[in-house]
Amino acid sequence: MPQQQKDRPWLFRTYAGHSTATASNALYRGNLAKGQTGLSVAFDLPTQTGYDSDHELARGEVGKVGVPVAHLGDMRALFDDIPLDQMNTSMTINATAPWLLALYIAVAEEQGADVSALQGTVQNDIIKEYLSRGTYICPPKPSLRMITDVAAYTREHLPKWNPMNVCSYHLQEAGATPEQELAFALATATAVLDDLRGKVPAEHFPAMVGRISFFVNAGIRFVTEMCKMRAFVELWDEITRERYGVEDPKFRRFRYGVQVNSLGLTEQQPENNVYRILIEMLAVTLSKNARARAVQLPAWNEALGLPRPWDQQWSLRMQQIMAFETDLLEYDDLFDGNPAVDRKVAELKEGARSELAQINSMGGANEAIEYMKSRLVEANADRIGNIEIGDTTVVGVNKFTQAEESPLTAGDEAIMVADADAERDQIERLTAWKASRDQAAVDVALAEVRAAAQTGTNIMIPTIKAAKAGATTGEWGDVIRAAFGQYRAPTGVSKSQSNRTEGLDEIRARVDAVSDQLGRRLKFLVGKPGLDGHSNGAEQIAARARDCGMDITYEGIRLTPDEIVEAALADEAHVVGLSILSGSHIPLIESLMEKMRARNLGHVPVVVGGIIPEDDADHLRAMGVARVYTPKDFELNRIMNDLVTLVEPTATAAE
């Protein structure tokens, strides 16, 4: 009997980028030489939010969570000696997706590539940015318009390019249940396709439906996650057939890439994360009919800091062993006809349809952003609460905590440290770039971007012209902000206490007693300085403090140190809590502490949370920070007790 032909493996990717374009280029070429088959570009926060590296909000953020790309010269350096016509490149970029795609096209043309043959993806999903990650620029309506501008442009000029990667990954990171992840992602896709319908000829619309891809998250409950992927496949087939009348099954195919869950990576016993990553990968590779087309895996030590090339290599080898050493790719779907799987898939579909009906009744995803955000905050609170009380087991965190010291985390080079001079170097090159360009050509091109934004013509054509003329990311972003206005997304944290009371009675009594001593309700200001939009932790701290009876102020993301200090003054805050997960904690906290002292607020305790190495934590405490919390501090009630102790007048007097 002849052996069945093996399926082709999925694309092997590593999400990477840091410090500078040149350093990231070396990392990419090294990963490609090790067998990586696609690129996945991580951009730094200024690039993602449309600011140049020398902007006030960019301070401390340059090159931290990705590569800074401020202009065409940076994009050239990023892909130096990497032929773009032979690549499949995924760019995790949303608000500035038109701009980064324009720079990519310009570099490809300079390389002599056939632009119509370029393959890859821009994430270009702004709705989940309002819900979970925060790298938006302008309000939802013009943001949706720019998404479909990109899609319409690629239809005509880059037919092999995926113009949108509906990203449910960050929804799960923000606490979404599987049903919410399904529903919110599908609602986003339909919002985009409904808008796109009017921008492409009817005969080309089914093919455009076929170019929409998804980027999902796979968590540790891998049977549920595998069933979720099968539910995605079936629901997408249903929606594209019934809502859009797509007849060709290849255009109804659910095409997705995946990064497995980073939220569940633990700082405690981090070597256990290797098993978590492997198990989570099974959810998106075992079922042939719901198998990912591209997989990127986090590194085992990402809860500690920036992974080294070796750590990324380890995750890449995990994929290669699964694809090339096992017999997984030799078989038909292993789960077809399995009654347990069929029941779970049906259950997930029913829950997702219920959520979709609610969103549709509100007018669709764009109109339901506040509703979806509040649902995510509630779901995340349930997740954290279950870990705190032990209903959800996390090995090494709330069970089996006694462990040997890991040799993998020993030594000064256990995690990579971002180049301390990268920001200065980037700013110097940005200044030189601006000085050497034809300013008149830049001004003309940016004026055309402004006109397109105002008139409704496709934003991509003048954006490409601006990229070639030498405009910068911040200049393009400023035009977009001026044309459409800035926006502050809902926080999902209501002022009203929830009905969550587990373990709160004692803390509430302490808050009441301290408030009586203070003569007014204990005031807690929660802030997110800089550009880091990962607000899950800040939201949960604010919500728990509210439920404990504190008077909270939490206005959301992207605040300058000056704005936080002014709010502390205006609110007469008793304690200030700051959340920074991007690695920019040292410069941002240093600036804030100086400004607090300058405004006679040096007596107000400041607490900080984030992914903070112990040496940095010592540095922060030396600056005067009262408490430093990292991912290992999952017991929110203990943090609440700490806050009360810090502002308790008797305790303060005793100190």
Side-chain angles (χ1 to χ4, degrees), residues 99-291:
W99 174 247
L100 271 298
L101 180 57
L103 291 173
Y104 190 86
I105 290 168
V107 169
E109 288 184 356
E110 289 181 350
Q111 290 185 357
D114 176 2
V115 170
S116 68
L118 293 178
Q119 296 186 69
T121 304
V122 277
Q123 193 165 94
N124 204 21
D125 174 2
I126 204 67
I127 291 177
K128 62 92 181 177
E129 295 298 327
Y130 301 128
L131 299 177
S132 56
R133 194 160 168 269
T135 69
Y136 53 80
I137 292 179
C138 54
K141 189 173 181 179
S143 292
L144 180 62
R145 170 257 170 110
M146 287 193 289
I147 289 173
T148 52
D149 276 1
V150 169
Y153 183 86
T154 60
R155 198 279 309 171
E156 189 171 355
H157 301 284
L158 283 78
K160 296 183 178 181
W161 193 269
N162 298 322
M164 187 194 190
N165 206 216
V166 181
C167 181
S168 69
Y169 175 85
H170 292 102
L171 300 180
Q172 187 179 127
E173 296 281 295
T177 65
E179 294 87 350
Q180 289 169 347
E181 188 179 344
L182 285 161
F184 295 2
L186 293 170
T188 296
T190 56
V192 169
L193 287 174
D194 288 351
D195 193 67
L196 181 61
R197 247 178 170 166
K199 292 188 178 182
V200 299
E203 65 270 22
H204 294 293
F205 185 71
M208 288 307 299
V209 173
R211 293 239 62 82
I212 299 296
S213 61
F214 291 74
F215 187 73
V216 305
N217 200 331
I220 194 66
R221 293 171 58 82
F222 83 97
V223 176
T224 297
E225 295 294 308
M226 185 272 293
C227 291
K228 179 188 76 181
M229 299 321 308
R230 291 173 70 93
F232 255 135
V233 168
E234 294 178 19
L235 287 167
W236 185 240
D237 183 79
E238 180 182 300
I239 288 169
T240 53
R241 186 179 64 252
E242 296 179 4
R243 187 181 183 108
Y244 299 115
V246 178
E247 296 179 1
D248 190 334
K250 75 178 181 183
F251 294 147
R252 300 201 306 266
R253 190 180 302 141
F254 185 79
R255 301 157 59 252
Y256 78 99
V258 66
Q259 172 160 318
V260 305
N261 189 280
S262 291
L263 179 68
L265 300 182
T266 63
E267 182 180 359
Q268 303 94 318
Q269 301 178 31
E271 61 278 3
N272 296 340
N273 293 329
V274 175
Y275 307 133
R276 294 186 175 103
I277 293 165
L278 173 60
I279 291 167
E280 289 163 355
M281 183 174 67
L282 296 178
V284 295
T285 55
L286 283 182
S287 177
K288 178 178 179 178
N289 294 340
R291 184 171 293 149

Side-chain angles (χ1 to χ4, degrees), residues 15-21 23-24 27 41-48 53 57-69 133 302 304-308 312 415-424 426-427 529-534 580-590 611-613 616:
Y15 183 54
H18 66 87
S19 301
T20 65
S24 297
L27 180 62
V41 182
F43 296 98
D44 74 354
L45 289 171
T47 305
Q48 293 185 51
S53 303
L57 279 169
R59 187 184 175 201
E61 307 280 16
V62 178
K64 281 287 177 21
V65 300
V67 58
V69 176
R133 194 160 168 269
E302 286 190 16
L304 305 178
L306 193 63
R308 301 157 297 185
Q312 294 190 334
I415 59 170
M416 196 165 86
V417 178
D419 183 356
D421 293 327
E423 183 167 331
R424 177 186 53 77
Q426 174 69 12
I427 291 172
L531 295 176
D532 170 37
H534 288 86
I580 308 170
L581 280 83
S582 63
S584 57
H585 40 268
I586 295 293
L588 286 173
I589 301 302
E590 188 172 46
I611 299 176
I612 302 171
D616 285 3

